[in-house]
Amino acid sequence: MDELPARLQVGSVVRAVDAHAAGEPGRVIVGGVDVVPGATMFEKMTWLSANRDDLRLRMLREPRGYPAANCNLILPSHHPDADAGYVIMEQVEYPGMSGTNTMCVVTVLLETGILPMSEPITELTLEAPAGLIRVRADCRDGKVTAVTFRNVPAFATHLDVPVEVPTLGTVTVDVAYGGMFYVIAAAERFGLRLTPDEGADIVRVTEMIKAAANEQFPVAHPEQPGFAGITIGQLSGPPHDPADSMRNVVTVSTGTLDWQRPSTWTGAIDRSPCGTGTSARMATLAARGELRVGDEFRHEGILDTVFTGRVVEATRVGPYPAIVPTITGQAWITGFADYVVDPTDPFPDGFTIGDIWG
C-alpha cells in the first residue's frame, strides 16, 4: 500500500524497522516522533518517561507488541562525538544501555542507509542514555555481519551475599552493573540447566530473587544516580558447549511482583546471551580476579547463541573497581512497518492480559 487511509494519518505515523539480535527482538523507530527535548540522551529519556510514555506502551504492549518485545527510538545527538543517539524502551523501564538493542540499532542505521556503511569495517559512535558507545561493525555486501561495541564501565557492588527469598530460602547472589543493575544467582541451586523447556521455572525463580535483592540491597550508580535499583535478574551456569565460558539466562520483568499473588511472578526471558548481562557477569569475574585485561569471555544464551566479550580496560567507578568490556554479536532485520492508531481504537496505548503478561 503506497498511501495510508486518511483516518489513519491523524496524528503521527510511527515508522519502524523490526530486528533481532541472537533471537532477542529490538524494534527500531526511525520516523514519526516529534522533537524530543533534552541536551543529552539521558535528558531525552527522562522527558519521554514523564511526557510520552504512551509511545513505549503503544509499541511494546498488545496488539503491536508482546512480552519479550523491546523498542528503540533513534534521535539526533548533540554530542560532538556521536553520529546518532537512541533511547531504549523495555516493558517496565527505560534502560541506560542494552547490548541487543544496540546491535539492532547499528544494523538498522547501516543497512537502511540512515548512516553510511563502509566495507569491510564501519566505525561509529552512538549516544545512549548511559553514555557514549563506540562501535565497530563488520560489513559485507551491504550486510552487517558483526557488531562490536565498547560498553560503559561495568562493576560489581556485592559478591556472594545472602538474600532471603520467600519460598526459596537463602540464596547467594552477586550484584553488578553492566548498563543496568543485575542480581546474578547460580542456576544449579535450583536444579536448572538453562534450557528452553525450563522457561517458566527460570522466570519464576529469577523474578523472586530480583524482587528480594532489590529490597535488601539498594544500589545506585555513583556517577549517574538516575540509574538505581536492581531491575533485572540473571541465572548463571556452566556452558553446554566446552568452547564457551559460561551459560546464562536473563529475565526481563513484565510487571511488578506481588508476593501475595504467585501468578504475578512472571517476566520474559531474554532470548539472547544479553549484552549488558554479559558485561555484568564479566565484572563479577574480574572482581574475583578470574578475568583480566585482554581476556575473552564467550557467553551462551538459552538458544545456544553466543556473545563474545573482552576486557579492554581496567578502571574505577566511584569506590568500585571496574572494567570496560567490549561485546560482539549480530543482528538481523525482520521487517518494516508503519504503526498507526485509528482514532476510534479503544486501546491506543495497548493492553496486557494475565494469560501471558502475569
Side-chain angles (χ1 to χ4, degrees), residues 42 45 94-97 129-131 177 179 181 219-222 224-229:
F42 180 83
M45 176 195 76
Y94 291 79
M97 176 54 188
Y177 180 86
F181 277 107
V219 290
H221 196 292
Q224 294 175 301
F227 298 124

Side-chain angles (χ1 to χ4, degrees), residues 99-158:
T100 55
N101 283 296
T102 298
M103 294 173 192
C104 290
V105 166
V106 169
T107 300
V108 168
L109 284 171
L110 296 181
E111 291 190 12
T112 64
I114 295 174
L115 291 180
M117 176 188 292
S118 298
E119 299 185 15
I121 301 295
T122 303
E123 294 185 346
L124 64 153
T125 300
L126 300 178
E127 184 191 358
L132 289 181
I133 307 298
R134 312 281 179 182
V135 177
R136 167 191 162 122
D138 293 10
C139 305
R140 184 176 66 249
D141 299 329
K143 168 65 187 161
V144 177
T145 59
V147 175
T148 299
F149 65 88
R150 182 184 174 102
N151 201 4
V152 295
F155 55 93
T157 61
H158 301 80

